[in-house]
């Protein structure tokens, strides 16, 4: 398994606009082989920002890479420029990718993936 995350530091007062943009985005992930799930996470508030993270789970790093090179990826990000000025960020998104080495499901069963 592979988890891909982007962290966003949204300036106070722009949270509603940020969330509305994400709610209105056309989802294309489900069209991709190896896609498992997506979450948009809202984290803690600091004085200068609210932390958000997009979180996708893939069967493998190779599936995630295929997404980043796909027509679906280009289509999902095509309107990003239209949102300039609607939300203010401290900095651009910060990507973090993780290979899952241990997975425990809701029944407590653990699976170790070879790294």
């Amino acid at each position: 398994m592979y988890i891909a995350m982007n962290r966003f530091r949204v300036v106070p007062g722009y949270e509603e606009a940020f969330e509305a943009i994400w709610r209105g985005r056309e989802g294309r992930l489900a069209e991709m082989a190896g896609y498992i799930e997506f979450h948009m996470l809202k984290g803690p508030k600091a004085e200068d920002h609210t932390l958000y993270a997009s979180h996708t789970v893939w069967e493998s790093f190779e599936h995630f890479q295929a997404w980043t090179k796909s027509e679906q990826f280009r289509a999902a990000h095509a309107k990003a420029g239209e949102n300039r000025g609607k939300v203010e960020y401290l900095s651009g998104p910060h990507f973090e990718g993780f290979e899952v080495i241990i997975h425990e499901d809701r029944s407590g069963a653990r699976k170790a993936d070879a790294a």
Side-chain angles (χ1 to χ4, degrees):
M1 244 190 264
Y2 185 78
I3 297 174
M5 297 180 72
N6 274 302
R7 295 169 150 241
F8 304 88
R9 296 185 308 159
V10 176
V11 171
Y14 290 92
E15 295 93 347
E16 283 185 35
F18 177 81
E19 292 175 24
I21 288 167
W22 278 89
R23 283 190 183 97
R25 284 182 73 160
E26 181 182 358
R28 303 292 301 266
L29 292 163
E31 299 172 21
M32 299 300 299
Y35 166 71
I36 298 174
E37 63 188 5
F38 168 84
H39 302 270
M40 174 53 76
L41 310 172
K42 184 175 184 178
K45 289 184 178 200
E47 244 181 70
D48 61 349
H49 73 279
T50 299
L51 180 64
Y52 288 87
S54 64
H55 173 267
T56 52
V57 181
W58 299 88
E59 288 180 19
S60 69
F61 174 69
E62 292 75 21
H63 286 107
F64 167 72
Q65 271 191 317
W67 155 249
T68 65
K69 297 173 184 175
S70 70
E71 177 57 36
Q72 289 88 341
F73 180 89
R74 286 187 289 285
H77 294 86
K79 295 182 180 180
E82 294 176 13
N83 296 318
R84 284 198 177 95
K86 294 180 182 177
V87 178
E88 200 172 312
Y89 302 93
L90 287 184
S91 61
H94 175 77
F95 176 78
E96 297 173 319
F98 300 90
E99 184 176 340
V100 176
I101 59 169
I102 300 170
H103 172 257
E104 184 173 308
D105 67 20
R106 67 186 327 169
S107 70
R110 273 192 159 193
K111 299 172 191 162
D113 295 337

